[in-house]
Amino acid sequence: PSALLVLGIQQIHVGQEMIGKISAAGQLMQCSASLDVLFLLDGSYSIGKGSFERSKHFAGKLCDALDIHPDRVRVGMIQFSSTPHLEFPLDSYPTKQEVKERIKRTVFRGGSTEMGRALKYILHKGFPGGRNSSVREILIIISDGKSQGSTAMPAMQVKERHITVFAVGIKFPRWEELHALASEPPERHLLFAGDADDAANGLFSALSDPVCTATAPGCKVESHPCERRTLETVKELAGNYVCWKGSKQPNAVQASLCPFIRWKRVLIKHPSRCFRTVCPDPCDSQPCQNGGTCVPEGLDRYHCLCLLGYGGDVHCAAKLSLECSVDLLFLMDSSAGVTLEGFLRFKAFLKRFLQAVVGQDSPMSVGVAQYDDDVKIPVELGQQRDTLSLMKGIDALNFTGGPTLTGRALQWIAQHGFRSSPVFADVQDDLPRVLVLLTDSKSQDSVAEAAKYARDQNLFLIGIGSSLMRAELAMVTGNPQQTIVYSDPQDLFNRMSELQRKICSVGNPEGCQAQSLDLAFAVDASSGVGLENFLRLRRFVRSSCLHFVINRDVTQVALVTYGSKAHTVFALDTHTSNSAVLQAIDQVSFLGDSASAGSALLHVYSDVMTVQKGARPGVNKVVVLLTNGGGVQDAAAPAQQLRHNGILVFVVVIGDAERDTLLRVAGSPSYLLHVSSYEDLQYYQGLIIERICEEARSPVNLCKPNPCMNQGVCILGPGSYRCECHGWEGPHCETRVLRGDSPRSPALPPRSHGQWSPRGLQHFSRALQHSKRQ
């Protein structure tokens, strides 16, 4: 509920938000007025060299808040110990940089703490190098307040001369003495050097009215409760012990109790109030959504620290979204084996995940069940109509701690868990049913038969647990692809996007049943489409990517947007995870000029589906062209060129368009899809994914596209290929043949005729990197 601005000897007790405002305002302070500012630095042995260096640093930071100029603020410095020593007068250095550099060069002198003598020096000599009496004089004393003699009289005389005195504590200051040194009211003129930004704020706050120029609009001086502490040495009675006092009688000893005294250092607290300038910041409007933390950057900028699962935009919009219609039930292990800590971790994960993916327009219904040797459904499927009531239902879940009977729980859920009311009186809910099991405890009963029974009831099972649960979760789901295993508690929260993909992969096996695929989307971003419809196309590409496992071994995805020219948003080898691809799609910009689908397909042919840009030999390749039919007149030839190189072109056209031209681009009616409107595009996603996956499972021509670089000729062999090179060598013609001084040894076999198998991808990758360097 409260925080401390300084973890040192002065503490301001305010909220964390106020701390940020005080600190930000302190860094932005700039006093522009006619001022003579004289630093009086304690250089005695009681301070020590370390604290003296901190005093110098503080003085330099304080100069940042002063507009140092011969006509405005002038700065001088005196160091005192046994005697005062003028380091530099007020008229020595005309710029802030020169003053700060001179302060850095000041050498620690050492000696006793004769502050009274230093004040008398100022009374006698005045401000060295100062101007006339019309210029306000500011004395900033930086000391631990432990003077050898009395300072009361000279301090009073200094203030009677209308010199404003700021007393700044360093190390463990004696605040009573500093309090007597400071001008009235002392609360406004006592500072602590432990936090330079806060002290600069305090200095400016005291001088702002009427000395310094006005603060930024909306800034005002406020008082805050604060506490100053002094480290004092006190003696205390620790107890009594038996001691010998002697005796008047011979051969006799007299025992007695003697007090035992010890010295102890204690912090003595001085409650007070501190005055600081507080400025409004952009975080006052609370721009960060979904629990994001707003971090101000000065007075006009900020950034949001987003919770995991958010960050879809700068204001922490949900990064994840479940754009699939399913009945989703979570089954949480609440047995003794998972422990209370594990149960609470699952609850936190569940809340975070559902907050990120369930919105007002979410097409799914969600329920939550828990089990040990019994099963309860505190949050019934579809009963919670909004996120807030869903969160309340999850908050109400309590740990039960019985035996772990996972098999029994799966059997019960398969029979009773998905009973939901019909949408209409005569229409039953026939959405896919997804059950997500969260467990971290091995079952005490058999799970194999119960899990098979659940799968036979058309339940799509997903298992989540620690690495120790891998085998049992695979047995439950019947497919290792439907298990999520985390390595440590924090890693569980990193698996949210993976869970999202698996939930929406029901009916559409991820990665086309793990078939490798190089997939490129070419998206019309021209003015004919318009910004609103372009955003719909972007969402379609995003949700389509959820149906694939994106990595180097399974599916690689590239994205091209086009108007009159084509732009590669990201190449096939740019992103190696679904989350990275989704994040990149969210950043895609609308172009808005005329459309040329031909230039887009030509760009895909020459700059995307190439081995140099990550295309893999022996892997099927598909280009999905999303267009409104505009600018396709020039697309037939590059589309044919793509097909000639073994790359399927799938054309999705939205709205009315000329069928004959589009058919020449697609090459076949099987690869041409007409959609009446952008709103209806989502309903064709399953069909498009199915067609893409059919291509992924078709036989592969290892020479299409040509894996040989530099005009090499690919020659097929049984299950392999080789590159025939001219003027180049290497498995893929990646190295120029050296002539003249460095002939290739005739004893070596000609590398250009070596056979190459798709299994040798590792060597291919090395050759490709070598080629890029060449």
Side-chain angles (χ1 to χ4, degrees), residues 505-627:
S505 70
V506 56
N508 294 289
E510 287 192 334
C512 303
Q513 296 176 347
Q515 292 292 320
S516 296
L517 178 69
D518 285 344
L519 174 62
F521 289 93
V523 181
D524 190 342
S526 68
S527 56
V529 171
L531 175 59
E532 185 176 351
N533 291 329
F534 171 76
L535 295 177
R536 289 193 176 100
L537 292 178
R538 194 174 76 175
R539 283 196 296 271
F540 173 79
V541 173
R542 190 184 195 281
S543 61
S544 297
C545 289
L546 293 172
H547 293 270
F548 298 92
V549 176
I550 297 173
N551 58 46
R552 290 279 182 263
D553 301 318
V554 187
T555 302
Q556 291 189 145
V557 175
L559 177 58
V560 171
T561 56
Y562 71 92
S564 57
K565 294 182 180 179
H567 304 269
T568 301
V569 179
F570 51 85
L572 289 167
D573 59 356
T574 302
H575 299 301
T576 58
S577 69
N578 287 66
S579 59
V581 166
L582 297 181
Q583 192 168 357
I585 291 171
D586 289 340
Q587 307 301 318
V588 180
S589 301
F590 178 62
L591 300 177
D593 53 0
S594 59
S596 172
S599 67
L601 294 180
L602 193 61
H603 180 81
V604 171
Y605 173 79
S606 61
D607 206 52
V608 176
M609 288 294 186
T610 65
V611 290
Q612 292 92 337
K613 294 301 174 70
R616 297 166 292 177
V619 173
N620 279 310
K621 292 166 176 56
V622 177
V623 179
V624 179
L625 177 68
L626 294 166
T627 175

Side-chain angles (χ1 to χ4, degrees), residues 304-560:
C304 294
L305 298 177
C306 305
L307 294 175
L308 197 66
Y310 298 93
D313 63 11
V314 295
H315 295 124
C316 299
K319 187 186 294 185
L320 307 174
S321 61
L322 288 174
E323 298 172 1
C324 49
S325 298
V326 296
D327 285 342
L328 178 61
L329 182 63
F330 290 89
L331 179 60
M332 289 176 56
D333 187 346
S334 180
S335 67
V338 81
T339 72
L340 174 61
E341 180 185 0
F343 176 77
L344 294 176
R345 185 185 309 129
F346 281 144
K347 268 182 66 172
F349 170 78
L350 193 55
K351 284 186 64 177
R352 185 83 60 82
F353 177 76
L354 292 176
Q355 283 175 326
V357 301
V358 177
Q360 291 182 345
D361 302 323
S362 180
M364 68 172 53
S365 57
V366 178
V368 181
Q370 66 181 95
Y371 76 95
D372 45 15
D373 58 346
D374 191 18
V375 183
K376 299 175 184 176
I377 307 185
V379 182
E380 292 195 14
L381 198 67
Q383 294 301 307
Q384 312 297 330
R385 296 300 179 188
D386 58 77
T387 308
L388 182 61
S389 57
L390 186 59
M391 293 304 108
K392 287 182 178 178
I394 296 172
D395 283 334
L397 298 177
N398 292 314
F399 180 64
T400 51
T404 311
L405 301 184
T406 306
R408 179 178 176 180
L410 290 171
Q411 182 92 15
W412 193 93
I413 288 292
Q415 294 171 342
H416 308 289
F418 284 87
R419 289 181 177 176
S420 56
S421 57
V423 180
F424 301 105
D426 57 346
V427 180
Q428 293 294 323
D429 180 2
D430 60 351
L431 292 177
R433 298 183 298 173
V434 179
L435 177 64
V436 180
L437 171 67
L438 297 103
T439 179
D440 215 4
S441 173
K442 293 190 176 179
S443 181
Q444 294 170 245
D445 64 349
S446 174
V447 299
E449 290 184 10
K452 184 178 184 304
Y453 174 80
R455 295 195 300 271
D456 290 344
Q457 304 307 305
N458 291 322
L459 295 191
F460 185 76
L461 300 181
I462 299 172
I464 301 177
S466 66
S467 54
L468 297 174
M469 298 298 297
R470 188 186 301 273
E472 186 169 304
L473 291 175
M475 189 185 300
V476 168
T477 61
N479 182 355
Q481 294 293 323
Q482 289 165 221
T483 63
I484 296 175
V485 176
Y486 58 89
S487 56
D488 56 65
Q490 181 54 45
D491 187 41
L492 169 64
F493 291 87
N494 297 332
R495 304 304 180 120
M496 290 189 353
S497 57
E498 186 179 353
L499 175 59
Q500 172 208 33
R501 293 197 309 273
K502 293 188 186 302
I503 290 172
C504 280
S505 70
V506 56
N508 294 289
E510 287 192 334
C512 303
Q513 296 176 347
Q515 292 292 320
S516 296
L517 178 69
D518 285 344
L519 174 62
F521 289 93
V523 181
D524 190 342
S526 68
S527 56
V529 171
L531 175 59
E532 185 176 351
N533 291 329
F534 171 76
L535 295 177
R536 289 193 176 100
L537 292 178
R538 194 174 76 175
R539 283 196 296 271
F540 173 79
V541 173
R542 190 184 195 281
S543 61
S544 297
C545 289
L546 293 172
H547 293 270
F548 298 92
V549 176
I550 297 173
N551 58 46
R552 290 279 182 263
D553 301 318
V554 187
T555 302
Q556 291 189 145
V557 175
L559 177 58
V560 171

Side-chain angles (χ1 to χ4, degrees), residues 131-183:
R131 289 169 281 188
N132 57 42
S133 58
S134 64
V135 176
R136 184 118 177 216
E137 294 178 325
I138 309 293
L139 179 63
I140 302 176
I141 304 171
I142 306 176
S143 172
D144 60 0
K146 298 175 182 177
S147 299
Q148 309 301 127
S150 174
T151 60
M153 183 58 70
M156 183 181 68
Q157 291 172 336
V158 165
K159 287 181 279 190
E160 285 175 350
R161 291 198 181 182
H162 304 291
I163 297 172
T164 303
V165 181
F166 286 90
V168 182
I170 188 74
K171 205 173 179 181
F172 290 99
R174 186 173 289 135
W175 288 104
E176 296 93 334
E177 183 170 323
L178 295 178
H179 193 279
L181 290 170
S183 291

Side-chain angles (χ1 to χ4, degrees), residues 5-72:
L5 182 60
V6 182
L7 298 176
I9 310 305
Q10 174 178 282
Q11 298 175 334
I12 294 187
H13 297 261
V14 290
Q16 186 64 44
E17 182 182 356
M18 189 61 67
I19 286 176
K21 290 187 176 185
I22 290 173
S23 180
Q27 295 174 40
L28 296 171
M29 295 298 161
Q30 189 68 217
C31 183
S32 289
S34 291
L35 292 176
D36 282 349
V37 177
L38 182 64
F39 285 105
L40 188 59
L41 255 66
D42 188 341
S44 64
Y45 289 131
S46 67
I47 286 285
K49 190 171 183 181
S51 292
F52 182 75
E53 291 299 318
R54 282 193 289 277
S55 299
K56 285 165 51 180
H57 171 74
F58 168 77
K61 290 287 287 183
L62 220 53
C63 287
D64 290 332
L66 303 173
D67 185 12
I68 297 175
H69 185 274
D71 298 329
R72 292 186 289 276

Side-chain angles (χ1 to χ4, degrees), residues 10 12 187 222-226 228 272-276:
Q10 174 178 282
I12 294 187
E187 291 78 11
E222 296 180 357
S223 70
H224 306 284
C226 63
R228 301 184 174 98
S272 185
R273 297 201 64 84
C274 293
F275 291 81
R276 298 294 182 264

Side-chain angles (χ1 to χ4, degrees), residues 235-279:
K235 71 178 182 179
E236 65 177 8
L237 178 65
N240 297 304
Y241 66 99
V242 177
C243 58
W244 305 107
K245 292 279 188 168
S247 175
K248 295 179 180 178
Q249 300 177 0
N251 302 322
V253 177
Q254 182 178 352
S256 180
L257 290 177
C258 299
F260 174 61
I261 304 295
R262 66 180 176 192
W263 296 90
K264 183 180 179 181
R265 304 192 82 185
V266 296
L267 281 172
I268 299 175
K269 300 176 181 179
H270 306 264
S272 185
R273 297 201 64 84
C274 293
F275 291 81
R276 298 294 182 264
T277 299
V278 179
C279 300

